[in-house]
Amino acid sequence: MSRYPDGLDLRRPQSRGMQRVAIAGIGTTKFSRSSGLSELQLAVQAITNAMQDAGLDLGSIDGIVRFTADSNKESTLVNALGLPDLRFFAEVGYGGMAAAGSIAVARAAVASGQARCVVCFRAMNGRSGLRFGRGERTLRAEDDQIAYADGERTFGSALTGPYGLLSPSQLMGMWAHRYAHTFAISHEKLTRTLAEVAIVQREYSHRNENAVLGQKPLSLDDYMSSRMIASPLRLNDFCIEIDGGVAIIVTAMDLARDASRKPVEILAANQALKPQGDTPALYSDSIERHAPSAARDIFAVAGIEPADINVAALYDATSVMVPMLLEDLGFCSRGEAADFILSGETKIDGMLPTNTHGGMLSEGYLHGMNNALEVVRQIRGEAANQVAGARLGLFSVGYGSVLLGAV
């Protein structure tokens, strides 16, 4: 006899007996092009600021979730922060995918009772140190004069790396062309759509004191005159590399209610992979998609619809990711994101205000973690570009998402 009830879908997360989980605090460092600090100093500063935001002592931290790409090990942070008793630690890989994945892992740890106060963080000197957007980081040095692409660290492995496909920008240019081809979007309309994404987010950033490009206006003429990086993507279609750190404090709901700031409940969180995950969608039959089907289940898990969401922060390493995610996550139909964006629906008074802090295109690139903080601010009612009555928000990196709600 089966030990499972009839009709139980074992593929769907079971929340029975799990405690409610919330974000109790958020913190950042100053974002800049040259921090003058080590990545450990950035991490400690961001985590300390997040705990101060929550009104909790550093000693309350009993869990850490880090990016695999982060240079700071858990043991180093235990010593640097003086943590007395770490009960849980984990790491999440795959670059920006870890921004949602780390929150999902922290939520699971707290919900299952493995920890009560878990910090998720990302700290990087992404401008003055290792620059993730540069093609040469994927090369293997033979000597001072010669470097080669052997396929182990390049997009597309040995089939494409040795022929020059070296950087994320080149891959995303291919995504943009395929997206336009699939939905018969003209080059002119695609360009207008991408320009609108960049310009609207720059306008949002003007009120964000921590946005690196917040004081630099961007007009359509500015956009059109910027140099082409990877056709059809221009300079202003790319995120801005920065130095900085961010941290999020994930706690049990009772602890969050005792914190000094308004708790924001994590209603659902997930992460997903699909075939060709190591060479992101390059050889897939549907490279115009950015979110796999497993990641799109988050609304059903939470029992809400995309139309219920008041504000969104979508991963924007390049501008083309925004229309792709709007469609993949169900905010508009496939092939209709251009019209959705050009009609103003991502603006503050639109159907879905998106990346209201300026996103990674204007605030800065910290592997997406800073985007998550903006949704928390919106639900708290503290955002620089506050969406009136925001109670439900979505943070998504495509391969993972986090649904946040007011308590």
Side-chain angles (χ1 to χ4, degrees):
M1 180 179 295
S2 172
R3 56 186 285 201
Y4 300 112
D6 291 340
L8 177 63
D9 185 353
L10 298 181
R11 297 169 299 174
R12 191 169 293 281
Q14 305 300 311
S15 59
R16 193 178 310 160
M18 296 290 190
Q19 60 180 313
R20 294 169 66 189
V21 180
I23 292 175
I26 56 175
T28 74
T29 66
K30 178 183 178 182
F31 299 160
S32 70
R33 297 176 187 269
S34 181
S35 69
L37 301 174
S38 69
E39 292 182 339
L40 175 58
Q41 288 174 310
L42 291 172
V44 168
Q45 188 179 121
I47 293 169
T48 300
N49 290 342
M51 291 299 285
Q52 290 176 348
D53 180 66
L56 299 173
D57 295 331
L58 283 172
S60 301
I61 296 173
D62 60 358
I64 294 175
V65 182
R66 65 184 285 267
F67 281 55
T68 300
D70 203 279
S71 64
N72 297 293
K73 294 182 178 180
E74 301 91 340
S75 58
T76 305
L77 286 171
V78 167
N79 292 330
L81 295 168
L83 305 183
D85 189 16
L86 199 71
R87 300 168 56 198
F88 177 86
F89 60 94
E91 65 179 57
V92 182
Y94 299 98
M97 292 163 59
S102 61
I103 298 172
V105 170
R107 176 180 182 253
V110 173
S112 61
Q114 297 180 75
R116 282 180 53 77
C117 182
V118 180
V119 61
C120 307
F121 75 98
R122 183 69 172 107
M124 55 192 286
N125 282 319
R127 174 70 183 191
S128 66
L130 175 64
R131 298 180 64 177
F132 281 83
R134 299 293 289 264
E136 60 264 31
R137 75 179 177 88
T138 67
L139 301 176
R140 185 184 300 278
E142 179 74 17
D143 54 36
D144 291 341
Q145 302 297 322
I146 299 174
Y148 61 94
D150 64 359
E152 292 184 8
R153 296 188 290 178
T154 56
F155 291 107
S157 67
L159 297 178
T160 56
Y163 300 96
L165 183 56
L166 302 176
S167 71
S169 62
Q170 295 168 315
L171 175 65
M172 294 172 192
M174 295 171 67
W175 284 0
H177 278 299
R178 177 67 185 201
Y179 172 77
H181 169 77
T182 300
F183 298 112
I185 300 171
S186 68
H187 176 75
E188 292 74 16
K189 186 171 185 179
L190 177 66
T191 299
R192 292 201 314 273
T193 301
L194 301 182
E196 184 73 0
V197 171
I199 291 168
V200 168
Q201 292 189 197
R202 185 65 59 83
E203 290 173 351
Y204 279 138
S205 76
H206 294 331
R207 291 191 176 189
N208 178 359
E209 294 180 354
N210 215 17
V212 171
L213 295 181
Q215 302 305 311
K216 186 175 182 180
L218 179 65
S219 67
L220 181 59
D221 287 342
D222 295 330
Y223 175 89
M224 294 301 297
S225 63
S226 64
R227 70 181 185 273
M228 191 72 72
I229 302 296
S231 176
L233 304 178
R234 292 172 163 81
L235 178 65
N236 289 297
D237 289 311
F238 291 89
C239 60
I240 180 73
E241 294 172 309
I242 63 168
D243 294 0
V246 294
I248 295 173
I249 309 303
V250 178
T251 73
M253 181 60 76
D254 63 322
L255 186 57
R257 290 186 186 277
D258 292 337
S260 60
R261 307 303 288 269
K262 177 182 177 182
V264 175
E265 185 168 8
I266 303 175
L267 301 175
N270 65 14
Q271 56 181 333
L273 286 175
K274 66 177 183 179
Q276 288 86 42
D278 286 332
T279 56
L282 184 59
Y283 301 123
S284 170
D285 291 334
S286 57
I287 69 170
E288 77 283 358
R289 275 197 179 278
H290 188 48
S293 59
R296 299 195 295 271
D297 288 342
I298 192 164
F299 297 107
V301 170
I304 65 174
E305 300 291 336
D308 297 324
I309 300 299
N310 306 124
V311 63
L314 306 180
Y315 197 81
D316 58 326
T318 60
S319 59
V320 73
M321 290 176 155
V322 174
M324 293 171 72
L325 282 172
L326 286 170
E327 295 176 6
D328 283 357
L329 295 167
F331 294 111
C332 56
S333 299
R334 303 273 285 145
E336 295 184 1
D339 292 333
F340 187 89
I341 290 167
L342 292 171
S343 63
E345 298 297 0
T346 61
K347 294 182 177 180
I348 196 69
D349 56 351
M351 185 181 301
L352 185 72
T354 302
N355 295 339
T356 52
H357 57 313
M360 296 189 295
L361 296 180
S362 288
E363 184 181 63
Y365 174 73
L366 287 175
H367 263 147
M369 282 292 279
N370 48 319
N371 282 8
L373 271 63
E374 176 64 7
V375 181
V376 175
R377 295 187 193 101
Q378 286 285 355
I379 303 302
R380 285 179 171 181
E382 300 172 353
N385 298 288
Q386 182 61 46
V387 176
R391 293 187 57 81
L392 287 173
L394 176 75
F395 162 59
S396 181
V397 300
Y399 281 75
S401 298
V402 180
L403 272 171
L404 298 174
V407 175

